[in-house]
Amino acid sequence: MRLLRRTALTLSVLTALAVPASPASAETVVPKGFQPASTSWTGPDTGYVLGYSPCAKSWCPALLGTTDAGRHWRRLGAPSMPLPDNHNHVALTFVTDRVAYVSDGVHVRTTRDGGASWHPVGLVDAREPFYVSKITETGGRVFAVLSTYGEGRGSTRLYSAAAGSPVLVPMPGFAVTGDITYGDVAVGGGLQVALGANYGDEKYWTSRDGVRFTPAAPPCPTGTVASLAGVRDKQVVALCSSSPGSPQPGSTERSVRHAARLGGTFSGTDAAPVVGITQGFGAASPASATIAAEGGGVGFLHRTTDGGRTWTTTVLSERGLSLTDLDFPGRGTGVVVDGQPDAADGSAVYRSTDGGTTWHELLFG
């Protein structure tokens, strides 16, 4: 009798092992109603999407990752970052496949274990109202651009600390003040920092190690703001944009400029399309660059393949709220987020595999 029971038990175990496990359904990986908020890619095929889904009369965050260009997704630990009521962009930045930052412009969280745990990052002497527009890491240090707004007087400063530090502090000498202030930072092929005020006081530094900085001539002429696309094939690419609404509402005058090396002199006067307010800028190569712009409730992607001499325009959608996270992580691959999770038309991540010529929406289920 005991032998029969043992035999039956053995057979039941073997049967269970022989039956292939059913694959997890899409809903176990991607929450129902998932809407992307931000995307960040560490390579052409490896990327991450932070999004939100409706839950208990609110929005709950979810973090997804892919290693095969979005054909399959896995669920990662999401940061505790509520969807802001003021529609601030919740920006995700993966530095490596284990190190990432997320910010809603006021709060910053970081992970150094691929999302298993998230920790707050403090900002010393940051007086509200302020906005963190960019955060990244290179050479063992963290860098963030923080703008403070006041009564007719604001400032933009560069914050920094050693990688893994729980707080960031302002870097002495890296600040501008004025009625309107702005800034950008880019990594890859060297670190670049651009700060400006009132469309006239422009400052620019470069660094190869994130420790020693060299002042250089600003990428853009007076009256325009620099958006940095990083170093591409040893050349440095930047977009120069006028104040929004010039020459007419819903438009921006702009041009792409190049420097032959990090710290070199920028040149280029070819004008880009003026349609839309500049939302983002990315370059796949020195010759191939894309501008994200919004105007009249429409999202536009303006693209050049000859360094800015000629342009083509893609109407991406009519969500008309925002185009964010435009980037080209390599091999002609581009990504951009269109819309906002809690908008009437929702949001989407678009991906290009031909340097920005065509774009296709990524699916999450």
Side-chain angles (χ1 to χ4, degrees):
M1 192 71 161
R2 186 174 300 169
L3 179 60
L4 288 175
R5 285 179 185 164
R6 251 182 228 164
T7 303
L9 178 60
T10 301
L11 287 174
S12 65
V13 171
L14 290 176
T15 301
L17 292 175
V19 176
S22 59
S25 67
E27 290 189 355
T28 62
V29 176
V30 182
K32 185 177 181 180
F34 178 81
Q35 296 288 325
S38 184
T39 191
S40 181
W41 294 65
T42 58
D45 300 322
T46 303
Y48 304 87
V49 176
L50 176 66
Y52 292 82
S53 60
C55 67
K57 298 182 180 180
S58 183
W59 291 85
C60 291
L63 181 61
L64 308 178
T66 181
T67 56
D68 58 8
R71 289 185 290 274
H72 302 90
W73 297 94
R74 68 187 188 281
R75 188 84 169 264
L76 303 173
S80 176
M81 184 68 70
L83 188 64
D85 293 334
N86 60 4
H87 300 295
N88 273 2
H89 176 49
V90 180
L92 175 70
T93 302
F94 263 82
V95 180
T96 69
D97 294 328
R98 293 185 62 80
V99 178
Y101 296 87
V102 64
S103 172
D104 63 359
V106 179
H107 309 92
V108 179
R109 302 281 186 272
T110 185
T111 180
R112 307 195 75 81
D113 53 18
S117 61
W118 290 85
H119 308 281
V121 177
L123 300 163
V124 173
D125 197 30
R127 299 179 181 178
E128 296 186 11
F130 65 84
Y131 187 79
V132 178
S133 59
K134 201 76 169 285
I135 186 165
T136 189
E137 184 177 311
T138 186
R141 294 194 65 80
V142 187
F143 297 92
V145 176
L146 185 148
S147 295
T148 301
Y149 307 98
E151 295 180 0
R153 196 71 173 172
S155 69
T156 295
R157 296 182 288 178
L158 182 68
Y159 274 64
S160 185
S165 173
V167 295
L168 305 182
V169 298
M171 288 184 62
F174 289 78
V176 292
T177 58
D179 297 332
I180 301 173
T181 64
Y182 38 84
D184 198 8
V185 61
V187 298
L191 176 66
Q192 302 175 72
V193 178
L195 303 178
N198 301 329
Y199 298 98
D201 180 17
E202 311 299 322
K203 298 181 179 180
Y204 176 67
W205 299 265
T206 64
S207 175
R208 294 193 178 277
D209 58 10
V211 177
R212 295 175 292 271
F213 287 81
T214 302
C220 298
T222 300
T224 58
V225 177
S227 299
L228 306 173
V231 180
R232 298 291 183 265
D233 298 335
K234 299 183 179 180
Q235 291 191 42
V236 190
V237 189
L239 174 70
C240 302
S241 301
S242 68
S243 60
S246 175
Q248 58 197 22
S251 67
T252 308
E253 292 180 322
R254 47 199 162 214
S255 63
V256 173
R257 291 167 62 87
H258 299 80
R261 57 179 178 81
L262 187 68
T265 302
F266 285 82
S267 62
T269 58
D270 296 309
V274 302
V275 176
I277 306 299
T278 301
Q279 302 277 296
F281 177 62
S285 71
S288 176
T290 300
I291 301 166
E294 289 277 353
V298 178
F300 302 96
L301 294 176
H302 306 299
R303 178 178 181 252
T304 181
T305 58
D306 54 17
R309 289 186 293 276
T310 62
W311 294 82
T312 58
T313 297
T314 298
V315 176
L316 191 63
S317 83
E318 294 186 0
R319 287 185 175 90
L321 290 175
S322 61
L323 291 175
T324 54
D325 302 333
L326 177 64
D327 189 30
F328 289 86
R331 213 172 60 215
T333 300
V335 290
V336 68
V337 176
D338 179 26
Q340 296 177 345
D342 57 349
D345 294 325
S347 57
V349 177
Y350 286 86
R351 185 172 183 268
S352 173
T353 57
D354 52 16
T357 300
T358 57
W359 297 83
H360 307 281
E361 184 177 342
L362 285 180
L363 301 179
F364 298 101

